[in-house]
Amino acid sequence: MNVSRILPATVLALGLALASADVLAAITARIATSLPDSHPQTLGARKFAELLTEQSHGEIEVQVFGNGVLGNDVNLASMLQAGTLEFNVPSTATLASLNPDFSVISLPFQFDDAAQVDTVLDGPAGRALLDSLADKGIVGLDYWDNGFRHITNSRHPVETADDIDGLKIRTMQNELYIDMFNGLGANAIPMPVNELFTALETRTVDGQENPFTVIDSKRFYEVQRYLSQTGHAYDAQVLIASKRFIDSLSTEQQQLVRDVSREATLYQRQVSRELNDTLLTRLQDQMSINEVSLEERQVMRERLMPVIEKHRAEISEATLSAFDAALAESR
């Protein structure tokens, strides 16, 4: 027997076996979004995936599925709870179906600007909301930016509160948003965002409400003539993880997920806000844009007081007190 030939072959086989074991040992995770690759939600997801794969030295490999290919936000949140999806970035309006206290973020005309948003959501009030998801099988990591929401429609500019009367407006599948637009005199029609373009094109609905980034990335300007800057509500998204997945990681890996989450969050917020600022100029070439006056926005807020009071009554006293105090302190 030629031992000199056997040994190299044995070493090679052992090396291949060890390499295979390393591959098998890698943890594969998925992060899914409902918006296109050009939207800051998916750009943030790609950054998170890139950072976690890189900083774990390949121990955790994250794949990104954007544009709703795995389902809408409601479907994705359910998958995450069931442990069949590892990460997702739904709107707080979606999370309100799991904990009504998340509606506090979406209350109309509540935040003044992005700086105030970050102060409140990154503080104890926002952190407590994220922690409330634990008993739902979800780990809340960080708040991402989707921006202030504005109205588009195909019929006429919205310059006054009365101009909303009778418009068929698509809203998220969320009771607060449905009540908000019904309260303004519109006919609110809830549906997933990935069904919206066709509904606008066929005039099943007259309009919709979203930040500039969604209006642009979903190309709503192709089927909508008027964009009215109402800024009626702020929309945050939340980077969430499956608790089952997080619990399967080592203590060091769990901390790495949180560290990477924060790094990706700062990137995502910057990208989102810079894009929202520049998109207004770009959209002016595509749509007729008007800014709603502070006086008319106040009229809208006054009309919505019954809606605001109704939904504040559904939010826990502890959350309301924490947010009211944080908002007052940030002004």
Side-chain angles (χ1 to χ4, degrees):
M1 180 181 294
N2 191 333
V3 177
S4 63
R5 291 182 179 179
I6 294 174
L7 284 177
T10 303
V11 171
L12 176 61
L14 180 59
L16 290 173
L18 290 173
S20 298
D22 286 343
V23 171
L24 291 173
I27 300 166
T28 300
R30 296 174 300 164
I31 181 168
T33 72
S34 61
L35 293 169
D37 290 346
S38 61
H39 189 275
Q41 182 196 51
T42 308
L43 293 175
R46 292 194 181 283
K47 174 60 73 172
F48 174 76
E50 172 192 319
L51 291 172
L52 188 52
T53 300
E54 177 184 296
Q55 294 186 26
S56 70
H57 305 291
E59 286 184 4
I60 306 173
E61 297 178 355
V62 185
Q63 302 171 339
V64 180
F65 295 84
N67 205 27
V69 296
L70 295 186
N72 61 46
D73 277 345
V74 175
N75 303 142
L76 295 174
S78 296
M79 289 171 63
L80 190 137
Q81 281 186 285
T84 56
L85 178 67
E86 289 72 41
F87 299 100
N88 178 217
V89 199
S91 167
T92 53
T94 300
L95 293 177
S97 64
L98 300 177
N99 178 2
D101 283 8
F102 273 95
S103 291
V104 72
I105 296 171
S106 303
L107 289 173
F109 302 105
Q110 175 166 244
F111 290 105
D112 299 330
D113 53 37
Q116 184 187 42
V117 166
D118 291 350
T119 298
V120 173
L121 296 188
D122 287 345
R127 186 73 248 171
L129 267 185
L130 295 181
D131 292 343
S132 74
L133 294 169
D135 64 358
K136 305 293 191 297
I138 293 173
V139 175
L141 294 170
D142 274 294
Y143 292 97
W144 286 11
D145 179 77
N146 199 26
F148 287 89
R149 303 178 76 90
H150 308 282
I151 296 173
T152 72
N153 80 98
S154 57
R155 288 175 54 184
H156 54 246
V158 172
E159 296 177 336
T160 70
D162 291 339
D163 291 331
I164 301 174
D165 286 351
L167 289 177
K168 292 181 290 184
I169 299 290
R170 174 269 175 183
T171 70
M172 288 185 282
Q173 297 160 290
N174 171 273
E175 186 179 356
L176 172 58
Y177 277 87
I178 295 168
D179 289 347
M180 191 187 306
F181 279 87
N182 285 337
L184 290 170
N187 179 12
I189 301 176
M191 69 174 66
V193 71
N194 290 317
E195 297 175 11
L196 181 50
F197 186 94
T198 300
L200 294 170
E201 186 176 36
T202 59
R203 300 295 178 92
T204 302
V205 295
D206 299 314
Q208 59 86 51
E209 49 84 43
N210 259 304
F212 299 142
T213 49
V214 179
I215 295 167
D216 177 74
S217 65
K218 300 296 285 185
R219 305 177 69 86
F220 293 150
Y221 53 80
E222 294 182 358
V223 288
Q224 296 277 269
R225 178 74 182 95
Y226 305 100
L227 192 165
S228 302
Q229 297 180 68
T230 49
H232 51 273
Y234 176 79
D235 189 24
Q237 297 168 330
V238 182
L239 177 59
I240 57 177
S242 162
K243 188 173 185 302
R244 183 182 301 179
F245 173 74
I246 294 297
D247 288 346
S248 73
L249 302 178
S250 68
T251 301
E252 293 77 13
Q253 289 171 332
Q254 290 180 19
Q255 186 57 51
L256 179 61
V257 168
R258 294 189 179 278
D259 293 343
V260 164
S261 168
R262 192 61 193 164
E263 190 173 348
T265 294
L266 297 177
Y267 165 85
Q268 191 277 339
R269 288 178 181 175
Q270 180 179 356
V271 168
S272 179
R273 286 160 186 169
E274 288 178 354
L275 191 55
N276 266 305
D277 288 343
T278 59
L279 280 178
L280 182 57
T281 300
R282 186 192 306 178
L283 289 169
Q284 284 174 343
D285 296 332
Q286 310 284 347
M287 309 176 77
S288 174
I289 300 177
N290 68 286
E291 185 169 359
V292 179
S293 69
L294 289 175
E295 292 78 12
E296 283 301 321
R297 293 175 75 243
Q298 182 59 30
V299 171
M300 293 178 190
R301 188 178 190 281
E302 289 171 358
R303 289 189 180 180
L304 288 172
M305 283 311 300
V307 172
I308 293 171
E309 291 171 1
K310 171 189 173 182
H311 285 274
R312 281 180 64 90
E314 296 172 354
I315 298 167
S316 72
E317 186 58 42
T319 295
L320 280 178
S321 296
F323 267 79
D324 288 347
L327 284 164
E329 186 177 347
S330 65
R331 289 194 167 102

